[in-house]
Amino acid sequence: MTHDEIKEIGIARLRPSQSNPRKAFRDVDQFELMDSIRSVGVLSYLLVRPVGEDFEIVAGERRYRAAKALGLESLPCRVRSLTDEAVGKIQLIENIQRANLSPVEELAGVRELEELGIHGAELAKSLGKTNDWLQLRLDLGKLPSGAQEAVGAGRVSLASVPDLLYVEASECEEFVQEVLEIEEPVPVLTLRAMIEERYRAPREAKIRWRTFVEDYKSKASGKVEGGRVGRAVFDRIGGKGRESCGARRDPGRKADQGGRAEDGPDRPNNF
């Protein structure tokens, strides 16, 4: 069992942690915390670990920044010996549970935990989150940086990430900027409809066409008699495109008993 040591530590000996997933600190939050410290002081301990002659802040960097801005000389700390893995988990859990990290910052924390050897269901469980929560952040990491930044800033919803994965990486950033010029923030259903219209439907149509061509070539190589190859492939795609493929029968012509088309009574014979 780990035993913590409670002590006052000079601010000059405290060091912010480089592994803290939280990178952005809002001024308004710091001003509010400074007002609180002026009024009642620092009521909760910072969690730190010894690093050489100094101490690394594991949890409580906001309090450290506010106290330093106020000119305080020392802070109450809880000193604990921790591994890098334990530090990463504590920092990510603390920040995520307070719901004040952006999705991009959450992704950075998740990646750091993965570098420490924690993956999948174990990682989600250690954070007290679902597998779906974790997968959504990992999917965010598959998008180009510009699209990630739009999600991190709240200009595009995190819920739109699975839809954005349908957009080619080379086009994704430009597409996001075009959409943001229309509406910001972009509603999830609106963005989904745009992607369906511009990317998903055309792509699926191309896939069906390639399948049709390959199937036709494969059957044609078997040299099936009587045009049965074309009929088989035609039936495979449900007979769609009959009219557009030139199969429309001239209303002035009809088939005789032998299957040949002959002129109707109202059509002059040109031969």
Side-chain angles (χ1 to χ4, degrees), residues 4 17 49 65 86 131 191 197 219:
D4 297 343
S17 175
R49 69 169 176 171
R65 287 171 173 266
N131 290 335
L191 186 61
E197 180 68 21
K219 287 182 170 60

Side-chain angles (χ1 to χ4, degrees), residues 197-216:
E197 180 68 21
R198 182 167 174 177
Y199 295 103
R200 290 188 65 173
R203 183 180 301 171
E204 290 168 0
K206 289 179 180 178
I207 292 173
R208 288 196 299 271
W209 171 249
R210 286 196 295 268
T211 301
F212 166 80
V213 171
E214 293 302 320
D215 198 9
Y216 192 93

Side-chain angles (χ1 to χ4, degrees), residues 111-156:
R111 283 175 167 169
E112 288 187 14
L113 289 178
E114 287 186 326
E115 290 176 0
L116 295 172
I118 310 173
H119 300 276
E122 180 187 356
L123 197 159
K125 185 177 180 180
S126 69
L127 296 174
K129 299 294 184 180
T130 65
N131 290 335
D132 288 341
W133 181 96
L134 175 61
Q135 188 59 53
L136 198 53
R137 274 73 187 168
L138 294 176
D139 285 345
L140 174 62
K142 299 173 185 177
L143 297 179
S145 59
Q148 288 187 31
E149 291 171 5
V151 173
R155 303 172 71 195
V156 174

Side-chain angles (χ1 to χ4, degrees), residues 234 239-251 253:
F234 184 79
K240 296 180 180 179
R242 178 192 296 268
E243 296 295 325
S244 61
C245 292
R248 180 181 301 159
R249 185 182 298 278
D250 190 319
R253 295 175 66 83

Side-chain angles (χ1 to χ4, degrees), residues 249-257 259-271:
R249 185 182 298 278
D250 190 319
R253 295 175 66 83
K254 59 184 179 180
D256 63 15
Q257 292 182 351
R260 299 186 303 274
E262 64 180 16
D263 293 329
D266 57 343
R267 184 180 180 91
N269 193 333
N270 297 324
F271 295 93

Side-chain angles (χ1 to χ4, degrees), residues 11 25 29-38 42 60-72 75:
I11 283 184
F25 295 84
D29 292 336
Q30 180 165 316
F31 293 148
E32 290 175 356
L33 190 52
M34 289 170 64
D35 288 339
S36 174
I37 292 174
R38 285 194 192 98
V42 179
E61 185 173 342
R62 288 177 62 247
R63 279 165 282 160
Y64 160 79
R65 287 171 173 266
K68 186 175 181 180
L70 288 171
L72 272 63
L75 286 169

